[in-house]
Amino acid sequence: MKELLLLLLVVTEASSRSHSSWCKRGCDCRGDLKFTICSRAHFTQMPGRVPPNTELLDLSDNRISVIPERSFSNNRKLRFLLLQNNNISVVENAGFSQMEFLQKLDLSWNRISALSEGFSVGLALLRELQLAHNRLTGLDSRSFLHLDGLQRLNLSSNSIRTIQVRSFSSMSSLRQLHLQDNQLRSLRSGIFSTLRSLELLNLAGNQIADIEVAVFKPLTSMTLLDLANNQMSTIDFKTFLSIHTYSTHVLLEDNPWQCDCDLQRVFWKLRSIQRLFLDDYYNLTCEEPAVLRDYRLTDVDTELCLAETVTVLVISLTVVVTLLAAMLMGERKRKKEKRRKHWTQQGELSDESDY
Ligand SMILES: *[C@@H]1O[C@H](CO)[C@@H](O)[C@H](O)[C@H]1NC(C)=O
Ligand SMILES: *[C@@H]1O[C@H](CO)[C@@H](O)[C@H](O)[C@H]1NC(C)=O
Ligand SMILES: *[C@@H]1O[C@H](CO)[C@@H](O)[C@H](O)[C@H]1NC(C)=O
């Protein structure tokens, strides 16, 4: 057994060495050339030659700035491609084409500001795309056109302000969408309309104040919706009522809640929906009115509608009193009238008797 292992090692070693001319200076080629590690090799452009057997190519922490067209056409066995922490601002059309086995592509920590229509050509089997810490400002229907098999998309820490309807339209298999720490202000109905497999939607750390009622409705597999650290001061009950899932956890911490009777009522109704779990409800704090700033909603919520109830009571009482007074006055006036009539009649009678 031991001999066999040794023999295997020697054979692997030998075959690596026999291909070593393939391994570019600065790279480390291992495992029968299946792993090509060129991290921190000071490359400013794509290495010209990568062993064609390579399944994992690590080009992270270099200074590559352009992905030219068909960069990987000689590496069609690639399954993992790591390009994080470079200086990439341009991905030429079809830069990643013909990579039919690629499962994971890491482009995080680069300078990508736009995704062209050709960006996703040839990536139909990609399962994970990392694009965090880039400079994207918007997504549209061409951004991810060909990513039919994608399961995890990480777009956190960009500057995304707008998401057009159909931006994610090819992604019926997507399970995780990370959009935290962007610049979103509103969520329009239809932007998530095809994401029926989506389990996790992270929207924390944006500036969302405005959510259209039907936006979460298509997300029938969603188990976690993170809306913490946004700009919501109120919420619409119908938006959350329209989430038709088996069970969904919702996070709402660090929003500037306007603590009034309406908010208290909405939360009271939300908490009665069996399939929704407001995990951080006990951590929600008020921003407005000023007298309640930094108070926990749970500490004041029994009083929020109290003031309103008192006001309603006072108004009702006033109305009742006014009505009663009016009735009394009317009654008195009627009696007076009656008495006056009575006296006049008697007067008339006595006048008559004088004759
Ligand atoms: C990064 O790329 C830009 C052009 O896109 C270039 O001006 C800059 O010098 C590059 N930075 C480094 C560190 O290579
Ligand atoms: C998203 O990207 C950030 C930055 O690279 C990373 O820290 C985080 O773990 C990623 N999240 C997922 C779920 O891949
Ligand atoms: C509530 O806040 C505390 C302190 O900030 C934190 O430790 C805890 O995890 C939060 N709870 C939830 C459910 O987020």
Side-chain angles (χ1 to χ4, degrees):
M1 193 63 202
K2 245 186 187 161
E3 279 93 329
L4 193 72
L5 261 175
L6 204 69
L7 188 74
L8 254 171
L9 263 175
V10 170
V11 170
T12 322
E13 225 7 58
S15 73
S16 303
R17 230 178 275 150
S18 70
H19 286 82
S20 63
S21 62
W22 275 103
C23 198
K24 207 171 153 66
R25 181 194 278 273
C27 299
D28 181 5
C29 302
R30 294 182 206 170
D32 210 6
L33 300 182
K34 285 203 173 81
F35 309 107
T36 302
I37 315 296
C38 314
S39 188
R40 294 168 213 256
H42 307 286
F43 290 165
T44 53
Q45 50 188 337
M46 298 292 301
R49 205 171 37 169
V50 173
N53 276 351
T54 301
E55 293 179 12
L56 182 148
L57 175 56
D58 183 354
L59 287 165
S60 61
D61 301 291
N62 282 289
R63 282 175 17 220
I64 298 167
S65 51
V66 178
I67 307 287
E69 197 182 324
R70 291 183 204 286
S71 297
F72 304 94
S73 54
N74 293 323
N75 294 103
R76 296 176 65 171
K77 292 188 175 158
L78 269 182
R79 294 200 288 154
F80 302 92
L81 176 53
L82 308 180
L83 283 161
Q84 68 269 33
N85 224 344
N86 275 278
N87 189 30
I88 300 167
S89 55
V90 179
V91 178
E92 288 185 359
N93 248 344
F96 299 107
S97 70
Q98 295 181 307
M99 303 186 79
E100 50 268 87
F101 297 109
L102 196 66
Q103 290 175 18
K104 172 172 173 169
L105 173 56
D106 195 336
L107 285 165
S108 49
W109 295 95
N110 277 289
R111 292 154 40 107
I112 299 169
S113 58
L115 298 171
S116 67
E117 185 165 344
F119 161 74
S120 59
V121 170
L123 293 176
L125 287 189
L126 195 67
R127 289 205 209 137
E128 178 176 336
L129 176 56
Q130 297 284 347
L131 273 166
H133 291 279
N134 274 281
R135 301 186 177 179
L136 295 170
T137 56
L139 305 174
D140 62 38
S141 59
R142 293 160 306 170
S143 311
F144 307 113
L145 202 56
H146 306 282
L147 299 174
D148 305 309
L150 205 67
Q151 296 185 1
R152 184 191 291 192
L153 177 55
N154 191 345
L155 291 164
S156 58
S157 305
N158 277 271
S159 307
I160 299 169
R161 281 173 182 277
T162 54
I163 299 178
Q164 286 183 15
V165 173
R166 302 189 62 75
S167 292
F168 305 112
S169 64
S170 65
M171 298 182 187
S172 53
S173 312
L174 197 68
R175 296 163 78 158
Q176 296 189 8
L177 178 53
H178 300 269
L179 276 164
Q180 64 269 37
D181 302 316
N182 276 287
Q183 310 280 331
L184 296 169
R185 288 166 188 278
S186 61
L187 299 176
R188 288 173 47 206
S189 288
I191 56 176
F192 303 128
S193 65
T194 48
L195 300 178
R196 56 181 168 277
S197 304
L198 197 71
E199 292 162 8
L200 190 161
L201 177 55
N202 194 339
L203 292 162
N206 279 275
Q207 274 133 49
I208 299 166
D210 218 24
I211 302 181
E212 284 189 9
V213 169
V215 71
F216 302 129
K217 196 173 177 180
L219 305 176
T220 49
S221 305
M222 184 167 59
T223 56
L224 178 61
L225 170 60
D226 193 344
L227 281 164
N229 196 3
N230 273 287
Q231 289 298 324
M232 297 188 294
S233 54
T234 61
I235 49 175
D236 189 338
F237 176 62
K238 285 190 216 135
T239 308
F240 292 86
L241 186 67
S242 74
I243 299 177
H244 288 292
T245 55
Y246 180 65
S247 96
T248 301
H249 294 259
V250 182
L251 298 175
L252 293 164
E253 245 182 293
D254 291 322
N255 276 283
W257 297 112
Q258 157 104 35
C259 291
D260 56 17
C261 186
D262 286 340
L263 190 75
Q264 199 256 307
R265 285 204 180 117
V266 172
F267 272 110
W268 187 77
K269 285 194 284 182
L270 281 180
R271 292 173 68 212
S272 70
I273 301 177
Q274 300 264 322
R275 59 184 183 275
L276 291 187
F277 297 90
L278 307 187
D279 290 352
D280 57 5
Y281 176 68
Y282 291 94
N283 277 0
L284 305 188
T285 52
C286 307
E287 173 94 2
E288 296 281 334
V291 285
L292 294 181
R293 182 157 305 160
D294 297 333
Y295 275 86
R296 280 171 199 264
L297 178 62
T298 47
D299 291 341
V300 297
D301 67 353
T302 50
E303 289 144 49
L304 292 176
C305 290
L306 199 66
E308 198 154 293
T309 314
V310 168
T311 316
V312 169
L313 268 177
V314 167
I315 291 171
S316 320
L317 260 173
T318 317
V319 170
V320 167
V321 166
T322 318
L323 265 173
L324 270 175
M327 274 165 66
L328 266 172
M329 296 268 280
E331 185 68 9
R332 265 174 67 184
K333 216 170 149 194
R334 218 160 48 83
K335 273 192 181 151
K336 233 187 196 167
E337 193 79 357
K338 215 170 157 189
R339 229 178 293 145
R340 200 174 52 80
K341 259 195 191 149
H342 183 72
W343 285 121
T344 346
Q345 258 172 22
Q346 286 218 338
E348 273 166 14
L349 274 178
S350 58
D351 281 354
E352 263 167 35
S353 66
D354 280 350
Y355 289 98

